[in-house]
Amino acid sequence: MQAKLSTMFQSLQVRNYRLFASGQLIKLIGVWMMFIAQDWLVLELSDNSATALGVVTALQFTPVLLLTLLSGRLADRYDKRMLLFVANAFWTVLALAMALLVITGLVQLWHVFAFAALLGIANAVETPVRQAFVSELVGTSLLPNALSLNAAVFNSARIVGPAVAGLAIAAFDVGPVFLFTALSSIAPLVTVIRMRPAELHREALPPRDERASAKVVDGLRYVWRRPDLLLPMAVMSVIGMSLFNFQLTLAALAKTVFQTGAASFGLFSTALAVGALVGALAGTGRRSRPSVWLVLGAGVGCASFGTLVGLAPAYWMVVTLLLPTGFFMVYFAQAANQRVQLGTDAAFRGRVMALWVLVFLGTNPVGAPLIGWVAETYGAGASIWIGGLISLATILIALTWQLRRSGARLRFRILPMPRFYVTSADC
């Protein structure tokens, strides 16, 4: 048991990664608290408008759509550690400004819209750089484990953050939650400064003059020529747009369908995150590149349970179904991420991971307003199960394409029923 735990958390033995993970955990707890507070604030300021929630989500992710590929180019040209410091410092300033507006009671809906857009700019720079930086922290051999632990850190914060935020909003209102977010965002700045640059794994990178000539279009061509990278990205783009909008849909489901308070909304997010954490930990033992069949199989599980969440008629059923939904959601996303990262040359990793972030997060500006409109017109449940069915259809199409391309066949075998014999000794 001890050996298994040691293997599961092996990347934490690396000092730089340990600092990185601890800083991310502290920051992300605050971020998830802020997401809950922000959604609740929008509903209060907009008279429970699901469309307004969709607009905020779209504004938050539009910069990802516009700027992420350029950020990937920066990641392949400049010091990723320094880029992370600058992006996180910008985030801290934004969070402090928003906290002051909320605490003083001066906040208006357009302030939240502006904050979401500026926050998206910080994320558009930070996310692809952070994704590509992991390989420099631990090296290729520990990369699958480190990526799974990243997902575990993310979902641990996703468990703690919403639960604490729901209670904090009920007790103190949204202002203190925004203030805690601002303070927690200082942690990554401290940990980045404390890292030892000499211990980073940068030997696989090309010379500086080659990095200076790195172009976005070269990264796009690289992926286009690689069907093994293109398939998981294409599937993720559709699922990210149609199903991975739980930040929006669960808030609307809690408040408009089940008429619950902030604490109950936090329970939805926490249930999803508990399943996601288990899914992340399930992938920590992986030491090689995941197969395409594993990626697609996990995607089928994610889409199927996501559809059932939207169809569930009772509150307790939604909470129960969110557990396996969270598991397969992260298990699929992490397997796809690992398949992309472990199949990419170091010289292109920044630009390829920027494209991954684009299809993972950048589709939200397209999907979020549409999902918000569906939730407001046909109900929050419909916005979830429709997205689940679209995702399931996409995965089945991808599975058919992969089977034809590889020449493989799906075989179903009916196992014979066991036979039992009764002897005199049994009577």
Side-chain angles (χ1 to χ4, degrees):
M1 183 66 177
Q2 184 176 359
K4 187 174 181 63
L5 288 175
S6 177
T7 301
M8 182 180 292
F9 299 103
Q10 189 173 2
S11 295
L12 293 178
Q13 298 174 9
V14 180
R15 180 182 182 274
N16 282 342
Y17 180 79
R18 191 164 59 247
L19 287 169
F20 171 81
S22 61
Q24 285 298 307
L25 178 61
I26 295 171
K27 174 189 172 182
L28 287 172
I29 289 175
V31 168
W32 277 106
M33 291 179 66
M34 184 271 295
F35 281 154
I36 300 298
Q38 175 183 270
D39 290 349
W40 214 251
L41 181 63
V42 169
L43 290 174
E44 289 180 349
L45 295 175
S46 65
D47 194 24
N48 295 334
S49 172
T51 301
L53 275 180
V55 171
V56 168
T57 304
L59 288 171
Q60 194 166 298
F61 290 104
T62 295
V64 177
L65 181 64
L66 300 177
L67 302 176
T68 294
L69 293 180
L70 295 176
S71 300
R73 185 189 181 198
L74 292 176
D76 283 334
R77 294 184 63 180
Y78 301 108
D79 187 342
K80 298 179 183 65
R81 179 169 162 263
M82 184 57 62
L83 289 174
L84 283 176
F85 181 87
V86 173
N88 280 294
F90 183 52
W91 169 285
T92 301
V93 173
L94 285 176
L96 283 171
M98 188 63 185
L100 289 175
L101 283 173
V102 177
I103 290 174
T104 57
L106 299 175
V107 67
Q108 299 179 31
L109 187 59
W110 74 268
H111 291 145
V112 185
F113 289 163
F115 172 69
L118 292 173
L119 184 65
I121 294 175
N123 279 335
V125 175
E126 192 264 355
T127 305
V129 174
R130 171 167 43 83
Q131 290 272 347
F133 188 51
V134 177
S135 62
E136 293 189 10
L137 290 169
V138 298
T140 303
S141 61
L142 287 178
L143 185 57
N145 178 258
L147 291 175
S148 294
L149 287 180
N150 279 0
V153 166
F154 179 84
N155 288 288
S156 296
R158 198 173 183 177
I159 293 171
V160 177
V164 174
L167 296 174
I169 293 171
F172 309 108
D173 207 358
V174 294
V177 176
F178 279 98
L179 181 59
F180 180 83
T181 296
L183 296 176
S184 67
S185 65
I186 299 174
L189 301 178
V190 176
T191 56
V192 165
I193 292 173
R194 293 187 59 201
M195 287 180 186
R196 297 170 182 167
E199 296 178 7
L200 295 175
H201 297 258
R202 291 173 168 171
E203 64 277 5
L205 292 176
R208 184 178 296 272
D209 57 339
E210 292 184 24
R211 281 184 279 154
S213 62
K215 297 178 181 179
V216 171
V217 68
D218 292 334
L220 296 176
R221 289 171 179 165
Y222 177 83
V223 173
W224 182 255
R225 293 193 296 264
R226 295 283 304 275
D228 60 321
L229 303 181
L230 192 59
L231 180 65
M233 287 192 177
V235 172
M236 179 55 75
S237 67
V238 177
I239 295 180
M241 180 173 60
S242 60
L243 185 59
F244 283 9
N245 289 284
F246 288 114
Q247 177 187 343
L248 160 64
T249 54
L250 291 182
L253 192 68
K255 192 154 189 175
T256 63
V257 176
F258 297 106
Q259 286 82 44
T260 60
S264 297
F265 168 38
L267 182 59
F268 276 175
S269 297
T270 300
L272 186 72
V274 168
L277 176 59
V278 176
L281 293 176
T284 55
R286 193 175 294 131
R287 290 293 178 269
S288 59
R289 191 184 185 203
S291 70
V292 65
W293 312 115
L294 177 65
V295 172
L296 294 176
V300 169
C302 173
S304 299
F305 280 105
T307 302
L308 293 176
V309 168
L311 295 172
Y315 177 87
W316 68 267
M317 291 181 65
V318 173
V319 173
T320 302
L321 287 167
L322 283 172
L323 293 169
T325 301
F327 176 91
F328 282 107
M329 181 178 72
V330 168
Y331 198 77
F332 159 69
Q334 201 56 38
N337 186 324
Q338 291 171 351
R339 182 162 178 81
V340 171
Q341 282 233 43
L342 292 172
T344 302
D345 296 330
F348 290 91
R349 185 166 286 123
R351 281 164 288 176
V352 171
M353 294 317 298
L355 185 57
W356 168 260
V357 172
L358 179 63
V359 301
F360 188 37
L361 299 177
T363 52
N364 274 274
V366 179
L370 180 59
I371 293 295
W373 176 81
V374 172
E376 195 163 332
T377 306
Y378 301 103
S383 69
I384 299 175
W385 65 257
I386 290 174
L389 290 179
I390 292 173
S391 300
L392 185 59
T394 300
I395 295 168
L396 293 178
I397 291 172
L399 179 61
T400 302
W401 181 85
Q402 181 64 31
L403 287 170
R404 290 185 175 180
R405 180 175 176 273
S406 63
R409 293 182 179 180
L410 288 178
R411 292 183 179 180
F412 299 94
R413 185 176 62 179
I414 300 176
L415 298 177
M417 292 293 293
R419 296 180 179 178
F420 299 94
Y421 298 94
V422 180
T423 65
S424 59
D426 299 321
C427 299

